[in-house]
Every structure is written in structure tokens, then in C-alpha cells.
Amino acid sequence: MDFSPLKEAIEAKSYEKIADICDELMLQVTSQGIAYQEEWPYAIQLLGHIYVKDINSARFLWKLIPSNVKENQLEVVAAWKIGQKLWLRDYAGVYEAIRGFNWSPEAQDLVNSFSEIYTNRMFQLLLSAYSTISIKDTALFLGMSEEEATNYAAEQGWLVDSASGMLIVKKQHVVKEQKLDHTKLQRLTEYVFHLEH
């Protein structure tokens, strides 16, 4: 089996392509009637689906993985544990699952990249949902210690109220660009011209 497209995607850190590449390779192998149980990169494929937030496909893949692979390849089980925690919306559990396994070199960068993206996504969720939030809850959502979460939030411009143990969320101002619609400008010009004459 030629895994070179997968290796190239991993080396190029094009992690968003991994799930599609693996799915395509799996379809090719299946259509040729070749057995792919033992050497198949199930953990990478699961992590690829998790990376692009396609938990349903990850769940489907998990059901397809032969039981002997689940029993013998601990990294596959560790990858699925991340998927389970995401499915259950166990935010702290996602970080525990990420940190709770000694990932192979092939998976480590992918997992680190997912963790960073997930932390950013959780921070954006907190930003949009709260005006104040406890340091403890922030730490839980971001998978950090309370000190790390406080420092991270402060770096983002949030205010720290040490007496109450709360963080005051600083909303980011969104600047919307207005695009000039030439047809509307033309109609307005015609309208003004009509009023003047």
C-alpha cells in the first residue's frame, strides 16, 4: 500500500487533508479486496477526522476498526478517547486524553496542532458566551492550570479580579467592511437626479 500522500501531508503539516487522504486510500484498498487490518494507520485516520471536527466520521471509523486492532494498538484507543470526550463535550477530558498518552512521532505534531486549535476554539467560545467567568472555569475549558489560564486570558486583554477569582472578558471589536454595491450607487444617483429635476 502506498501511503506516500499521507506521509507528505503529515510532513507538510497539512493536517486538514489527512482524513480525506486516509478515507480515499481505504476505499481504494477495499475496492481491490485487500486486507488492511494490521498496518493501517487507524490512529492517524481517527486523529485526522477529529482534527477537522468530524466526530461522526470518527465514530463510524471506530466501529469499522477490527477488535484485534483495538486490543493491540493502544494509540488507536487513545485517539478514540479524544473523540469520545469531544462527543460528550467533556472539555477538560479532551485535554486529559491528549496528555494521557505518549504519542508516536507521527501522531505527536498532529495532536499538538489539534490541541492548539481546540484551545483557541474554546477561548473564542468563552469570549462570545461570557462577560465574566471564574478563573477555575476558564482553566477547565482551556485545559490549563488556573495560573496558566489567568496569564493566557490577561495576554488576550481580559481583566483579572483576584479578590473574586473572576476574569472580566474583553470583547473584541469587529470591524465590518462595507462593500460598495455599484448598482445601489447607480440607483441612488438616478433617484437624486430625479429629485433635482
Side-chain angles (χ1 to χ4, degrees), residues 9 20 22 42 57 60 72 76 85 91 94 98 100 110 125 136 153 161 180:
D20 288 340
C22 288
Y42 288 111
S57 293
F60 181 72
N72 297 323
V76 172
K85 299 300 182 180
Y91 307 111
V94 170
I98 289 169
L110 172 57
L125 178 68
K136 182 180 179 182
D161 184 350
L180 185 60

Side-chain angles (χ1 to χ4, degrees), residues 86-117:
L86 287 168
W87 182 260
L88 297 171
R89 292 189 172 102
D90 179 356
Y91 307 111
V94 170
Y95 294 107
E96 290 170 9
I98 289 169
R99 293 183 191 122
F101 188 77
N102 187 17
W103 301 97
S104 66
E106 298 82 32
Q108 186 65 61
D109 287 342
L110 172 57
V111 171
N112 289 345
S113 181
F114 168 76
S115 180
E116 186 177 310
I117 288 170

Side-chain angles (χ1 to χ4, degrees), residues 111-174:
V111 171
N112 289 345
S113 181
F114 168 76
S115 180
E116 186 177 310
I117 288 170
Y118 184 72
T119 299
N120 290 336
R121 193 171 72 206
M122 295 306 333
F123 187 78
Q124 292 304 315
L125 178 68
L126 296 178
L127 183 63
S128 65
Y130 294 93
S131 57
T132 59
I133 184 171
S134 71
I135 293 171
K136 182 180 179 182
D137 287 344
T138 303
L140 179 77
F141 278 104
L142 300 180
M144 300 175 180
S145 70
E146 290 185 19
E147 181 181 345
E148 290 170 331
T150 302
N151 292 337
Y152 184 84
E155 288 171 8
Q156 307 304 316
W158 292 16
L159 301 175
V160 180
D161 184 350
S162 301
S164 66
M166 300 293 285
L167 294 169
I168 301 164
V169 177
K170 180 182 177 190
K171 301 289 183 185
Q172 296 174 344
H173 298 289
V174 179

Side-chain angles (χ1 to χ4, degrees), residues 9-62:
I10 291 171
E11 288 170 5
K13 298 187 186 301
S14 299
Y15 302 128
E16 70 283 353
K17 296 178 181 178
I18 288 175
D20 288 340
I21 291 169
C22 288
D23 290 350
E24 182 63 33
L25 289 171
M26 187 176 268
L27 284 173
Q28 289 174 12
V29 168
T30 303
S31 69
Q32 296 170 4
I34 301 171
Y36 54 84
Q37 287 189 16
E38 290 300 322
E39 74 281 352
W40 193 261
Y42 288 111
I44 297 294
Q45 189 172 4
L46 276 169
L47 290 168
H49 283 291
I50 290 167
Y51 186 87
V52 295
K53 301 179 279 293
D54 188 357
I55 301 303
N56 284 330
S57 293
R59 288 180 68 216
F60 181 72
L61 176 61
W62 176 253

